Amino acid sequence: MILNLGPQHPATHGTLRIVVRLDGERVISADPIIGYMHRGYEKLTEFRTYPQITTLINRIDWLSSFANEVPFIAAAEQLMGIQAPPRAQYIRTTLTELSRIATFLLFLGEMGLQVGALTPAFYGFRDREHILNLIEAATGGRFHPNFNRIGGLKDDLPWGWVNDTRTAMKTVFDACDTFEDLVAGNEIFEARTRSIGIIPAELGAAYGVSGSNLRASGVNWDLRRDGKPYLVYPELDFRVWTHPDGDSYARYWVRLQETREAARMVLQLLDKMPSGPIMTKVPLIIKVPAGEVWVETENPLGQMGYYVVSRGATGPFRVKIRSASFSNVSILPWLLRGVFVADVITILGSLYFILGDIDR
Amino acid sequence: MTGTEPEAEDDAPAVEDSAVEDSAVEDSVDPHALDAGHADLLARLEAELGDAIVEHEPRFGDPVVRVRRDAWRRAAEFAKTKLDCDYLSFISAIDWNPAPREGDEDSGDTSSPVQPQEVTYGAAGSEGRFQVFAHVQSTSRHWGLTLKVDIDEQGLLAESWVPVYPGADWHERECWEMFGIAFDGHPALRHLYLPFEFEGHPLRKDFALLARVVKPWPGLVDVEPMPEEETTDEGAEAGDESE
């Protein structure tokens, strides 16, 4: 039997269609069909100036828009040979981690929904609200902050924001405890997720699966710590969480730990936050010198990078957007082979992709 | 309060200036700098591929290596097995042709960036119009490598990386539909994003952005031509008809 999962299905989180061939309840083959949301950002970037592009890339992974902006701005800054002042770097890092917490809180709740538990989803939405309020207070936007500028930030933090954030982090720790009891420690949840949808570390890497999905397969690799240093992560003390199993449960568990770790990092950042300017001097019309640069960051969904080719104009010549979900989802045909239909849903949930991030 | 404010204002610019100067000084990053790990990586790649390497250049810490077309898959195999680059970031392509109409100042469309019209090549140059490039990384050694191959317009074909990195499947399908570059050895080159009946290759520079064909991009939209002026612009004519 051929079953069409999607394009509009609650478990696909958007317009993703998976053509599933079934033998009874077993999946023989699964073919994801994407592109329902393809907006051609790579083409559009060639018709925009650098400052205009941040509004576009806000909409790639819309649950952590701020984190999307960072690598693109960093690419332009590297080509221009400028760097944002320390305070701007700290604020950037703080807001990146806050968007990580926001998007993971949603995941921790939604994952309960995939196994039929409605309550955690509401908890997730409720607790994320605190973080969104903070992002809104700082940037003016709940989903699309568009706050980064080449050479710094649009604005400084508002009064009282630091204290509000400290208070909100307590909510995050409480929320994580709740999810640990309610979802991760739940018998039904364990039965539905353990040993299901196992991604072997080697195959996952060859497919380009990244971020928490790869760390849940036991690969101890995090761009915040390894590789080229970016933002102020080298100055922070944090742990990279891994899980040896590589199944749906491991992916949930790793994200749960990473949410806590991100909250700890935010507290460290607030303590160390330096004073000073938030913008460096940049020309009014930004022309980026000719050259090529590849900048990648550890976004909530995984490795996100931009390969920017500039020819000295006010806009890029070519931008290759490497989004995390695209590669994470490309492993689905292999991963879904042989599982039950009901497990397809939990596997989709545990991979945690954003459609805008697949289709760009 | 009134007594303290002027002092604070006096202090602020001084702090700002010194900070700006400091950051400007420490920022002069050499784009050609290469650390020890990457130098070793490059040396091993050169030893294996020999004259199949056309050119190489360190770029912000990641070596960019251009290989000959017949060594494309061999480079991937070597990177994966011997250089520990087990992780595939992406495969994509660049069309080096200047776009025919890009931010044309004569037509009043100044909102779009104007690119230089003569072809100037990037990090390691190019011999053909197209260039396929890919980035691989090591999850254990934490280094990265950008590989490039030139594709000329006559033979739009590159070797497929699917046997080496299974994740290359989707990337190559995207590259095929967006640039029209086929991959030899790919199991099923079919459309990924676009509808099956779609014709053309959208990311090529000569493929016009639909929105700008239908309607000239801002600036022109609200400008009505002077009555005695000849209206030669398509957009302006369309505007007249609607009125």
Side-chain angles (χ1 to χ4, degrees):
Chain A
M1 187 177 112
I2 296 175
L3 185 71
N4 256 311
L5 196 75
Q8 290 289 355
H9 186 280
T12 57
H13 304 285
T15 43
L16 170 71
R17 175 174 161 219
I18 303 176
V19 181
V20 188
R21 271 168 220 282
L22 295 175
D23 176 20
E25 283 206 48
R26 287 274 177 193
V27 175
I28 305 169
S29 77
D31 184 19
I33 293 171
I34 61 171
Y36 290 93
M37 267 202 62
H38 184 237
R39 293 153 290 176
Y41 280 164
E42 284 181 22
K43 184 79 176 175
L44 286 176
T45 53
E46 293 167 15
F47 291 84
R48 299 280 193 281
T49 61
Y50 285 93
Q52 286 174 335
I53 289 171
T54 43
T55 59
L56 288 179
I57 57 187
N58 259 294
R59 281 137 180 98
I60 294 174
D61 167 10
W62 50 68
L63 288 185
S64 52
S65 311
F66 190 89
N68 290 344
E69 296 173 15
V70 172
F72 183 78
I73 295 290
E77 283 177 355
Q78 279 191 26
L79 280 174
M80 291 173 76
I82 59 169
Q83 207 171 30
R87 184 172 171 83
Q89 301 274 19
Y90 267 84
I91 298 175
R92 275 182 190 173
T93 319
T94 313
L95 285 168
T96 306
E97 289 308 311
L98 280 182
S99 39
R100 188 186 310 275
I101 295 170
T103 182
F104 279 3
L105 280 179
L106 193 63
F107 164 79
L108 295 172
E110 287 270 327
M111 190 60 193
L113 202 60
Q114 312 297 342
V115 299
L118 196 56
T119 318
F122 289 122
Y123 283 3
F125 274 106
R126 184 196 64 191
D127 297 329
R128 187 178 68 134
E129 200 65 17
H130 296 281
I131 310 297
L132 288 185
N133 285 341
L134 288 172
I135 293 176
E136 187 186 12
T139 67
R142 288 165 67 80
F143 276 96
H144 304 305
N146 197 17
F147 194 54
N148 278 295
R149 297 288 181 272
I150 292 169
L153 293 169
K154 176 173 160 270
D155 221 337
D156 209 336
L157 293 174
W159 285 108
W161 193 86
V162 169
N163 277 333
D164 288 352
T165 311
R166 273 209 189 88
T167 321
M169 288 307 111
K170 290 194 190 74
T171 325
V172 174
F173 289 124
D174 289 347
C176 290
D177 291 344
T178 312
F179 286 126
E180 187 138 40
D181 286 348
L182 197 65
V183 185
N186 186 300
E187 268 179 48
I188 301 169
F189 184 78
E190 286 202 41
R192 289 290 308 279
T193 52
R194 281 216 190 254
S195 325
I196 285 165
I198 298 174
I199 300 178
E202 210 171 299
L203 191 75
Y207 264 99
V209 173
S210 55
S212 321
N213 290 330
L214 195 60
R215 282 193 288 277
S217 299
V219 179
N220 195 350
W221 184 48
D222 191 319
L223 292 169
R224 289 175 288 176
R225 183 194 60 190
D226 310 318
K228 287 179 263 183
Y230 72 101
L231 295 182
V232 293
Y233 289 112
E235 293 168 38
L236 297 180
D237 175 34
F238 63 98
R239 181 178 164 182
V240 174
W241 293 86
T242 56
H243 198 287
D245 290 355
D247 53 13
S248 298
Y249 184 84
R251 291 192 277 276
Y252 187 86
W253 188 86
V254 165
R255 287 207 182 88
L256 183 65
Q257 304 306 328
E258 285 184 353
T259 315
R260 284 206 184 102
E261 203 64 47
R264 281 188 208 112
M265 284 157 87
V266 169
L267 290 177
Q268 284 182 48
L269 285 160
L270 295 178
D271 288 340
K272 289 184 181 176
M273 184 83 69
S275 57
I278 48 146
M279 266 302 273
T280 184
K281 278 176 187 163
V282 287
L284 193 62
I285 295 169
I286 291 169
K287 284 195 175 182
V288 173
E292 293 184 19
V293 68
W294 159 251
V295 176
E296 55 188 347
T297 57
E298 187 74 32
N299 271 25
L301 299 183
Q303 180 210 33
M304 172 146 205
Y306 295 88
Y307 196 96
V308 179
V309 180
S310 172
R311 282 169 62 192
T314 52
F317 181 72
R318 166 103 175 92
V319 177
K320 164 65 192 170
I321 304 169
R322 195 275 182 207
S323 56
S325 298
F326 181 83
S327 295
N328 287 351
V329 169
S330 72
I331 201 173
L332 274 181
W334 182 87
L335 193 59
L336 294 184
R337 209 169 294 151
V339 303
F340 287 116
V341 183
D343 294 337
V344 171
I345 307 301
T346 55
I347 290 171
L348 285 179
S350 70
L351 273 178
Y352 197 41
F353 48 83
I354 304 290
L355 257 293
D357 207 27
I358 303 174
D359 286 352
R360 298 195 301 271
Chain B
M1 279 303 286
T2 46
T4 53
E5 265 177 12
E7 281 173 26
E9 273 175 25
D10 285 344
D11 285 343
V15 171
E16 200 171 320
D17 281 350
S18 65
V20 168
E21 274 169 28
D22 283 351
S23 62
V25 170
E26 71 183 338
D27 280 332
S28 41
V29 185
D30 179 16
H32 306 285
L34 192 65
D35 58 43
H38 284 103
D40 174 47
L41 195 72
L42 208 54
R44 280 159 71 185
L45 202 61
E46 270 186 318
E48 165 68 19
L49 294 173
D51 59 352
I53 293 181
V54 180
E55 205 173 353
H56 61 81
E57 189 182 349
R59 200 79 198 164
F60 294 106
D62 261 8
V64 178
V65 182
R66 242 174 91 206
V67 301
R68 277 214 323 261
R69 202 155 79 169
D70 52 0
W72 182 235
R73 190 183 292 161
R74 196 149 57 89
E77 274 162 7
F78 183 72
K80 193 185 182 195
T81 53
K82 300 281 161 40
L83 300 178
D84 297 330
C85 290
D86 51 345
Y87 177 88
L88 176 75
S89 298
F90 69 83
I91 300 175
S92 191
I94 307 176
D95 179 358
W96 283 108
N97 260 20
R101 191 180 154 276
E102 212 177 52
D104 193 359
E105 280 183 40
D106 295 334
S107 69
D109 179 12
T110 53
S111 61
S112 175
V114 182
Q115 299 283 352
Q117 284 301 303
E118 71 281 5
V119 183
T120 46
Y121 297 112
S126 174
E127 270 160 25
R129 176 182 167 185
F130 294 102
Q131 196 167 46
V132 172
F133 67 121
H135 190 261
V136 289
Q137 259 173 311
S138 168
T139 55
S140 49
R141 313 290 291 272
H142 311 141
W143 53 38
L145 182 67
T146 305
L147 290 165
K148 284 187 165 191
V149 62
D150 301 340
I151 310 282
D152 52 20
E153 254 178 298
Q154 275 69 45
L156 290 167
L157 189 72
E159 290 170 302
S160 171
W161 275 18
V162 176
V164 188
Y165 296 99
D169 186 351
W170 281 24
H171 290 281
E172 286 177 356
R173 273 170 70 187
E174 186 195 359
C175 197
W176 170 75
E177 75 172 1
M178 292 296 170
F179 290 95
I181 298 166
F183 288 88
D184 187 19
H186 189 283
L189 274 180
R190 54 205 168 94
H191 281 295
L192 183 70
Y193 283 129
L194 305 170
F196 296 113
E197 63 272 20
F198 193 92
E199 284 175 19
H201 305 291
L203 275 181
R204 283 189 182 183
K205 286 285 182 184
D206 52 12
F207 189 96
L209 192 65
L210 184 67
R212 305 222 169 172
V213 176
V214 174
K215 183 168 77 172
W217 184 242
L220 267 189
V221 182
D222 300 322
V223 181
E224 284 182 22
M226 297 297 282
E228 61 269 22
E229 224 174 89
E230 282 281 310
T231 54
T232 49
D233 197 90
E234 278 177 34
E237 280 169 12
D240 287 345
E241 279 164 23
S242 67
E243 281 167 22

